[in-house]
Amino acid sequence: MRVSEGGNVQRTLARGELFVAEIGQELQVIGQGAAVWLVLLANPALWRRLIGSSTDVLLPDPVLLPAVHGADREIRRVAVRLVRSVSAEPSNDADAVAAALVFTDLLVDLQSDFEPLVGRCPGRTLSQRRSVFLRLKRVRNYMESEGNVDLGITGFARMANYSPCHFVRAFCAVYGETPHAVLVEQHLRRAHRLVNDTSLTISEIATVAGFEDRCAFARSFKRRFGQTATVVRAYGQGAGRDAA
């Protein structure tokens, strides 16, 4: 499933992934093949009520943080149950509310992974720290999207509404690595997928993945994955023939 946010940020969701969109974003979703996907929409006030029923902590805005999570079989099962209960004729309100509460509880568990990162953000209150984290997460989400353009530190800082120096300092404090290191890692992961899933030449993959210098790409790829892109492709093709 391909998701486009505001026409700029694009990503492909794999099976078993759950995407939490940032409020106010204009989304375009395109399903591919025989995929079945579910969309659950609710305004912030309703999410707050649901989360308030499953936790003793009253979360300030933003109630949910935009992210891609791995969704296990349990949360997928509950999501299907929720959709079926609200679309049934006649609808079963009690079952729908119960499923919504269970789904929200599981979603809050997924988002709890952000708590240590929020704790590293500057701010005297939880609301301030979550607001800072949202700004940094917005940049990180952009870095992890497909087909993004390297905006450079100045562009990323502008996206987070920071000065370049303040942005780098805050980003490193929260994520423990520089924005450049994160961006290179995302480029390399994308290149690895392209090596395995496309017939593009290695030079073309280097360019598409965001590397201007093929030699620099080759060094970075081998250092990251322990093998050259050519060897990785040959091994993947050999494994495919063996499976056939």
Side-chain angles (χ1 to χ4, degrees):
M1 185 175 78
R2 293 189 60 80
V3 180
S4 174
E5 302 173 69
N8 297 318
V9 180
Q10 298 182 359
R11 66 183 75 247
T12 299
L13 298 185
R15 177 182 179 182
E17 288 187 331
L18 183 152
F19 171 59
V20 180
E22 185 173 353
I23 186 172
Q25 287 289 346
E26 181 180 344
L27 300 179
Q28 181 182 43
V29 182
I30 301 175
Q32 298 176 330
V36 175
W37 43 279
L38 305 176
V39 178
L40 302 176
L41 301 175
N43 60 41
L46 180 53
W47 282 121
R48 188 180 301 282
R49 287 174 56 192
L50 291 171
I51 292 173
S53 300
S54 61
T55 178
D56 294 332
V57 179
L58 181 60
L59 293 180
D61 291 328
V63 181
L64 293 173
L65 294 163
V68 175
H69 299 287
D72 61 18
R73 182 177 180 180
E74 174 64 11
I75 194 169
R76 298 200 304 270
R77 184 187 65 80
V78 172
V80 171
R81 175 189 165 195
L82 175 56
V83 171
R84 285 177 175 171
S85 63
V86 297
S87 59
E89 290 292 345
S91 62
N92 188 331
D93 292 342
D95 191 47
V97 170
L101 291 174
V102 174
F103 178 83
T104 303
D105 191 45
L106 295 172
L107 179 57
V108 169
D109 285 344
L110 292 176
Q111 295 249 314
S112 66
D113 291 342
F114 295 137
E115 291 178 5
L117 302 179
V118 173
R120 298 175 197 161
C121 292
R124 289 178 293 180
T125 66
L126 177 59
S127 179
Q128 291 173 338
R129 292 191 294 273
R130 284 177 67 86
S131 178
V132 169
F133 182 69
L134 174 62
R135 289 152 64 183
L136 296 175
K137 191 72 172 64
R138 187 177 293 136
V139 174
R140 179 102 186 202
N141 288 345
Y142 180 86
M143 291 178 173
E144 294 175 352
S145 65
E146 300 172 8
N148 63 65
V149 177
D150 186 351
L151 300 178
I153 295 302
T154 300
F156 290 135
R158 188 180 301 114
M159 184 182 295
N161 197 27
Y162 277 132
S163 69
C165 289
H166 194 180
F167 166 69
V168 172
R169 186 163 55 249
F171 193 98
C172 292
V174 172
Y175 290 109
E177 51 189 342
T178 66
H180 177 72
V182 171
L183 195 61
V184 170
E185 173 67 13
Q186 297 306 321
H187 288 335
L188 288 171
R189 289 184 180 181
R190 187 181 185 201
H192 194 275
R193 290 195 300 270
L194 292 172
V195 166
N196 286 314
D197 300 339
T198 74
S199 59
L200 294 174
T201 67
I202 301 303
S203 294
E204 290 171 335
I205 288 174
T207 301
V208 172
F211 291 87
E212 297 181 357
D213 186 331
R214 180 181 173 178
C215 292
F217 164 72
R219 290 193 299 269
S220 298
F221 191 97
K222 185 173 182 179
R223 183 167 56 248
R224 173 63 177 84
F225 300 109
Q227 296 175 319
T228 66
T230 302
V231 171
V232 169
R233 168 167 284 175
Y235 179 81
Q237 291 173 343
R241 287 194 297 269
D242 291 343

